[in-house]
Amino acid sequence: MTTDILQRQTIAVICDNVAKAQTDIAQAFLLLQGAKDRLGATLGSQRPYQADAHLWEREISDHDLPRVGHASAQYVAKNAWRYVIDFCGITAYMTEKRQNELRAQMDGGHFPALTPENVLSTLQGFTGQVGTLLEESAQEVFDWLRPSNPRSSAGRLKTNQRWKLGYKVIVPYAVEANWTRGYHLNYHREANFRSLGNVFSLLDGNGPQHYPDDLSTQLRAGLEQAKAGEWVSTPYLTLKPYRNHNAHLDFLRHDLVDKLNALCGDGSLPGHEGASNANHAV
């Protein structure tokens, strides 16, 4: 059998083809590294991490290279669209629900080709909805900070007001103690605090917040060394963590709280709390 193979192709041909294949592979990897560097400089420069500069979403194999190539192109395009939308600050106006819907749409590959015309058209469509998106996001924050059910853990706290947002509120399940010292935000509350910071910043006329100056990041840094019952200060509020996972919030800008109440509050509802909400604070 070995003799038959050598008759069909000589040792010289084998060595030549292997050498050319190795050269192609080396050049391909150089091109891939160049592509990664280019994406890092373009999509990763303003991000807290470099995930948008990755070429693949998961590990790859050479079993089906055309499919892998297509998947890589789609993954890069998705990250580019996400970067453009985040860079323009559109998501800061969106509720957490709308952001999740947009993320699911992007993950499903439902986005147009990345061209200047398509980007401008998409952003124009978003900017035309900014007023509505801001109202929705403000309403989401307003509803989150008010206990809709007076018998819930939040509703039983007399600091919280059911019909409007007070200047002081208590948020249950907002923080968790670290193993060594300090606290961190509950994973499920991070997006809520991020939205709160964005809404206050937008109502303040400063535009959306950006990392590392967003409320979640500010609180995360302050909580790392905080003790139970010790205030953590940020520009818009102070937060006091407790071992029972409650966080006491004291809003520093009463004018922004008033704006939020005026934007989202229902004038037909009483502005004070009735006897049903006069229970003791926890």
Side-chain angles (χ1 to χ4, degrees), residues 16-52:
D16 184 55
N17 283 329
V18 170
K20 288 180 178 178
Q22 290 174 321
T23 299
D24 290 344
I25 291 171
Q27 291 177 346
F29 275 100
L30 284 175
L31 289 172
L32 289 172
Q33 184 60 55
K36 182 174 175 60
D37 293 341
R38 186 185 297 274
L39 290 173
T42 305
L43 306 182
S45 57
Q46 303 295 325
R47 307 285 291 183
Y49 49 86
Q50 297 289 320
D52 287 347

Side-chain angles (χ1 to χ4, degrees), residues 107-231:
D107 288 342
H110 304 300
F111 47 82
L114 189 73
T115 65
E117 294 77 16
N118 286 340
V119 169
L120 290 175
S121 176
T122 300
L123 293 181
Q124 287 172 354
F126 277 129
T127 53
Q129 306 176 53
V130 162
T132 300
L133 294 175
L134 174 57
E135 289 183 9
E136 290 179 354
S137 188
Q139 188 69 54
E140 183 180 69
V141 168
F142 184 72
D143 292 339
W144 166 57
L145 291 171
R146 294 180 309 112
S148 57
N149 182 358
R151 297 179 180 176
S152 66
S153 58
R156 291 194 299 268
L157 306 176
K158 71 177 182 180
T159 300
N160 295 340
Q161 301 185 53
R162 185 180 178 189
W163 307 117
K164 67 176 183 179
L165 178 61
Y167 298 143
K168 299 177 184 290
V169 299
I170 299 175
V171 181
Y173 310 110
V175 295
E176 296 176 354
N178 295 330
W179 285 106
T180 53
R181 61 172 301 176
Y183 289 81
H184 62 272
L185 294 177
N186 181 292
Y187 172 78
H188 300 287
R189 293 297 191 192
E190 288 239 3
N192 294 129
F193 279 106
R194 190 175 298 109
S195 295
L196 171 60
N198 273 329
V199 167
F200 271 11
S201 183
L202 291 168
L203 291 176
D204 198 19
N206 293 328
Q209 293 186 329
H210 297 285
Y211 176 90
D213 299 319
D214 58 287
L215 181 59
S216 286
T217 303
Q218 292 168 345
L219 290 174
R220 192 183 307 116
L223 285 169
E224 285 182 355
Q225 303 298 324
K227 300 177 182 178
E230 182 177 271
W231 289 105

Side-chain angles (χ1 to χ4, degrees), residues 47-103:
R47 307 285 291 183
Y49 49 86
Q50 297 289 320
D52 287 347
H54 291 176
L55 303 181
W56 294 281
E57 190 169 10
R58 56 183 60 88
E59 292 184 1
I60 65 171
S61 74
D62 59 2
H63 177 69
D64 186 357
L65 292 179
R67 180 190 60 80
V68 171
H70 175 74
S72 174
Q74 286 291 98
Y75 182 63
V76 170
K78 179 186 74 173
N79 284 340
W81 270 109
R82 185 174 66 178
Y83 177 85
V84 168
I85 291 173
D86 287 351
F87 183 80
C88 294
I90 299 298
T91 53
Y93 295 84
M94 293 182 175
T95 63
E96 185 180 357
K97 179 181 178 181
R98 278 191 179 270
Q99 290 185 49
N100 289 336
E101 291 173 348
L102 177 61
R103 192 175 299 111

